[in-house]
Amino acid sequence: MKKKNLGLNTVCTHVGEIEDKQFKGAVSPIYLSSSYQFMDVDVKRYPRYFNTPNQEYLSKKIAALEFTESAMIFGSGMAAISHMFLAFLKAGDHIVVQNTIYGGTTNFIREEFPKLNIEFTFTNGYSIEDFEAAIQLNTKLIHIETPSNPLLTVTDIKAIAKLGKDKGILTSIDNTFASPVNQNPALLGIDLIMHSATKYFGGHSDICAGAVAGSDVHMERIWNVSKNLGGSLSDFTVWMLERSMKTMGLRVKAQSKNALKLAKWLNKLEAVKHVYYPGLKSHPEHQLAKKQMKGFGGMLSFELKDNLNPEAFQKALKLIKPSMSLAGVESTVLSPSQTSHSLLTASQRKALGIHDGLIRFSVGIENVKDLKADIKQALKHIK
Ligand SMILES: *Cc1c(COP(=O)(O)O)cnc(C)c1O
């Protein structure tokens, strides 16, 4: 079968399967060996070399989904991002980072890079001019996140890729929020695509994992660093991830459809001050999102009117649980100021536009009518 001609759900279901030649079972076997023979073999396998059979084969599925030559799976999204950054940055190098990104990535850069003498600049905004202005002679990497956490800003992927190519600088993206179902940055020219596989890849709130996809040459460079840092994933979890990814196309499409409906509905509610969702016509980058995304994703954020207490609202929800993390089949909400962005100061948060009342909504696969009813009863409860 030629990978290129397969549809999304077929890739999710079949690419990277390990054939069970011995018993002809329907699904990939789990290979748990941490010791493999070294004589008369093509590959010297070892879990921390990221090349056990389950790791090697699931990587093919991820590469196929992101239209890259190669991919690697890591123990977490932060392992993926840190191994990727450290493979391309050394002392004296500089990275340009989008200002509105995942809080954990910001913390990693701010806390670890000074110890390693790696220079960094967070952009003032997410326009091309903002990125261009931050570039220095020693810039080696430009890192973006779109749609971003938690305000769902949209960065022009193609323009960033072109900027990188023109200046001879590599580009990387955190593609977690969109997932490969809604956005394929490699097709727009981005070099390195990173995911927290804890989110849509896993999709059931029971796995912590990460992934990076890119060219063979770039992935080999990451592998050379990763084998030293050792952030590989256990084969049990790799297998769980394979099972989860079979339904990723179905799940993410259902979540994106639900999110669009809910964003439009919330936008009309008296109690809601503002909705952040790239699928809304009122979103400042709606046209750009339409151009570079296939769907607008399952994440949205909103602010309640000032007289309504966001904490009381979240507590009053019955079906939708206030929970950390995102992208499970079950809907969840959280306050970024109390969780993902709690380590930033109040003024840093304000500068990013993250108000204390902001509620991030990870839309699940439940029936929209039930989600609406839950929100309605919670609003009534706090009035
Ligand atoms: C969760 C998340 C990460 C970090 O992933 P972990 O699996 O928690 O390490 C990175 N980027 C984004 C956008 C995320 O949502």
Side-chain angles (χ1 to χ4, degrees):
M1 275 195 293
K2 278 216 195 91
K3 258 187 342 202
K4 279 205 177 87
N5 302 327
L6 298 176
L8 170 71
N9 288 323
T10 314
V11 174
C12 284
T13 314
H14 289 297
V15 172
E17 281 178 305
I18 304 176
E19 197 185 333
D20 177 3
K21 291 200 178 103
Q22 197 174 5
F23 299 110
K24 315 270 184 219
V27 304
S28 302
I30 312 181
Y31 291 91
L32 290 176
S33 292
S34 60
S35 173
Y36 288 85
Q37 292 193 14
F38 63 90
M39 283 186 284
D40 306 320
V41 293
D42 301 334
V43 188
K44 291 191 177 64
R45 296 186 193 273
Y46 185 60
R48 185 172 41 78
Y49 291 170
F50 296 82
N51 63 5
T52 54
N54 290 92
Q55 291 184 79
E56 184 187 319
Y57 275 70
L58 186 59
S59 297
K60 293 179 207 270
K61 193 194 296 288
I62 294 169
L65 283 166
E66 283 296 14
F67 300 91
T68 58
E69 291 173 343
S70 187
M72 280 172 70
I73 302 156
F74 296 87
S76 68
M78 284 314 300
I81 209 158
S82 57
H83 290 43
M84 176 178 85
F85 281 169
L86 295 174
F88 293 97
L89 299 167
K90 59 178 188 320
D93 288 343
H94 175 256
I95 179 174
V96 172
V97 190
Q98 182 175 318
N99 61 346
T100 50
I101 56 165
Y102 179 69
T105 309
T106 305
N107 297 340
F108 171 62
I109 291 169
R110 287 195 194 284
E111 290 169 22
E112 304 306 325
F113 280 12
K115 298 178 203 165
L116 303 166
N117 285 322
I118 296 169
E119 297 172 32
F120 55 89
T121 305
F122 284 93
T123 58
N124 286 325
Y126 49 94
S127 74
I128 283 302
E129 293 73 36
D130 289 318
F131 285 91
E132 208 163 355
I135 291 175
Q136 303 179 5
L137 283 173
N138 56 344
T139 304
K140 293 289 154 57
L141 192 60
I142 301 172
H143 180 72
I144 63 170
E145 188 176 311
T146 178
S148 70
N149 180 31
L151 292 175
L152 289 304
T153 61
V154 176
T155 309
D156 190 335
I157 299 174
K158 212 169 169 178
I160 292 290
K162 184 175 180 303
L163 177 66
K165 294 248 156 38
D166 288 349
K167 306 261 181 192
I169 302 168
L170 282 181
T171 50
S172 63
I173 186 170
D174 187 330
N175 204 28
T176 301
F177 267 36
S179 94
V181 177
N182 286 321
Q183 184 169 279
N184 299 120
L187 300 180
L188 301 170
I190 295 290
D191 298 302
L192 300 158
I193 296 105
M194 166 272 150
H195 285 277
S196 167
T198 312
K199 315 297 165 55
Y200 288 107
F201 284 38
H204 295 74
S205 309
D206 55 9
I207 287 174
C208 183
V212 180
S215 70
D216 284 336
V217 173
H218 289 147
M219 293 314 298
E220 192 182 333
R221 188 151 159 185
I222 295 176
W223 183 81
N224 276 313
V225 169
S226 301
K227 71 177 196 309
N228 297 332
L229 295 175
S232 57
L233 187 64
S234 106
D235 285 296
F236 269 123
T237 315
V238 173
W239 186 89
M240 292 267 288
L241 194 54
E242 184 195 348
R243 189 182 68 166
S244 299
M245 286 180 69
K246 291 183 187 193
T247 57
M248 183 165 68
L250 294 175
R251 281 187 279 108
V252 174
K253 281 191 178 169
Q255 286 167 296
S256 304
K257 209 168 138 190
N258 277 359
L260 181 59
K261 282 185 190 161
L262 285 164
K264 285 179 177 167
W265 179 76
L266 284 165
N267 209 21
K268 285 192 196 135
L269 283 192
E270 174 66 33
V272 174
K273 193 158 79 175
H274 194 81
V275 180
Y276 302 84
Y277 187 65
L280 291 180
K281 286 203 181 79
S282 56
H283 187 284
E285 293 93 38
H286 176 61
Q287 290 306 327
L288 174 62
K290 248 168 104 173
K291 216 165 66 182
Q292 69 186 21
M293 301 180 79
K294 286 179 265 184
F296 302 108
M299 297 300 300
L300 63 93
S301 291
F302 61 97
E303 273 164 41
L304 294 177
K305 290 256 158 77
D306 291 336
N307 59 335
L308 298 172
N309 183 333
E311 208 173 307
F313 167 73
Q314 291 178 77
K315 278 188 181 157
L317 290 165
K318 288 180 176 155
L319 197 62
I320 305 167
K321 298 272 184 317
S323 313
M324 302 274 279
S325 201
L326 60 109
V329 289
E330 60 286 321
S331 292
T332 57
V333 286
L334 67 68
S335 303
S337 61
Q338 286 177 25
T339 55
S340 58
H341 291 71
S342 62
L343 293 180
L344 302 182
T345 63
S347 68
Q348 278 172 331
R349 276 198 297 273
K350 203 169 162 214
L352 292 173
I354 300 166
H355 303 289
D356 286 347
L358 187 75
I359 295 168
R360 195 188 70 184
F361 188 0
S362 170
V363 180
I365 61 167
E366 301 94 335
N367 296 87
V368 168
K369 71 172 175 57
D370 297 327
L371 296 172
K372 283 182 184 171
D374 194 24
I375 292 168
K376 261 190 181 157
Q377 68 78 25
L379 286 171
K380 211 170 145 192
H381 184 84
I382 62 167
K383 256 187 191 147

